[in-house]
Amino acid sequence: MTARRGTADATTQDNWVASALLVLRLAVGSTYLLHGLQNLFGVWTGWDTAKMAGYLEPKGFGGASTVFAWILAVTETLAGLALLLGVFTALGASLVVIMMATSASLKLGVGFFMPGGFEWELAVLACGLAVLLAGAGKWSIDAWKIPQRTVSRVRTIALGITIVMTLVMVVVTWGSPPPHVQ
């Protein structure tokens, strides 16, 4: 018996919902891909991994801040690609949620509003969580090429990873000094 292709949810049947998920994936995916490349290479007047490591060091990452800066930049890039292509989308969305929850927890002491607040992180976290919970939609590699059973299992595993890693990262960064706001 051949496994049916496509995601294991009703969103694949509705063009409007599929369109909305595509918009979410493209917006968050392209933002994450470009931000990850910016952090990897310091392009577009952005930080590189050295500047990111300097930011992370007093935030609870200590001597491992350089390693975490590289992990963060590579993870942002890979999460962006996964969302843009709609391939193993749940894993990409999971990474977005974990990173945004961690970033928001670092900014709790500043408050909600920008500059320095966590409003941006909360909005992106919500978009990532929506994609994680709803699936990639029918206009994705997940729907076209990956068996439904695999997509469903990956989503369940990704949700578990998201919960555990978000809690771990919030605990690691809890009580860290808030970012300096200019």
Side-chain angles (χ1 to χ4, degrees):
M1 184 167 138
T2 305
R4 198 178 112 229
R5 306 269 179 214
T7 57
D9 54 51
T11 62
T12 59
Q13 305 305 315
D14 186 308
N15 285 337
W16 291 106
V17 174
S19 298
L21 289 170
L22 179 63
V23 168
L24 275 175
R25 284 193 6 252
L26 293 178
V28 176
S30 61
T31 301
Y32 254 76
L33 175 62
L34 292 173
H35 190 71
L37 293 173
Q38 182 183 44
N39 284 339
L40 279 173
F41 304 112
V43 294
W44 306 302
T45 67
W47 286 11
D48 56 12
T49 52
K51 286 182 184 175
M52 180 59 74
Y55 173 79
L56 292 174
E57 196 275 326
K59 306 282 185 233
F61 294 92
S65 62
T66 300
V67 172
F68 275 100
W70 277 97
I71 290 170
L72 183 61
V74 169
T75 301
E76 288 170 339
T77 304
L78 294 176
L81 280 172
L83 290 172
L84 272 175
L85 298 174
V87 63
F88 292 110
T89 307
L91 294 176
S94 172
L95 294 171
V96 167
V97 171
I98 293 165
M99 287 184 281
M100 289 294 94
T102 304
S103 183
S105 75
L106 288 169
K107 295 180 174 185
L108 287 175
V110 175
F112 181 74
F113 296 104
M114 308 265 297
F118 63 92
E119 64 182 320
W120 169 253
E121 285 82 357
L122 183 61
V124 176
L125 184 153
C127 292
L129 187 58
V131 172
L132 174 58
L133 295 174
K138 69 180 177 180
W139 295 312
S140 65
I141 294 174
D142 283 349
W144 297 332
K145 297 289 182 186
I146 301 176
Q148 170 185 355
R149 182 184 226 166
T150 302
V151 170
S152 183
R153 285 181 178 169
V154 168
R155 186 183 311 155
T156 302
I157 291 167
L159 186 57
I161 290 169
T162 302
I163 293 166
V164 170
M165 287 306 300
T166 297
L167 291 173
V168 166
M169 294 308 293
V170 168
V171 167
V172 165
T173 59
W174 194 262
S176 296
H180 177 70
V181 179
Q182 296 182 8

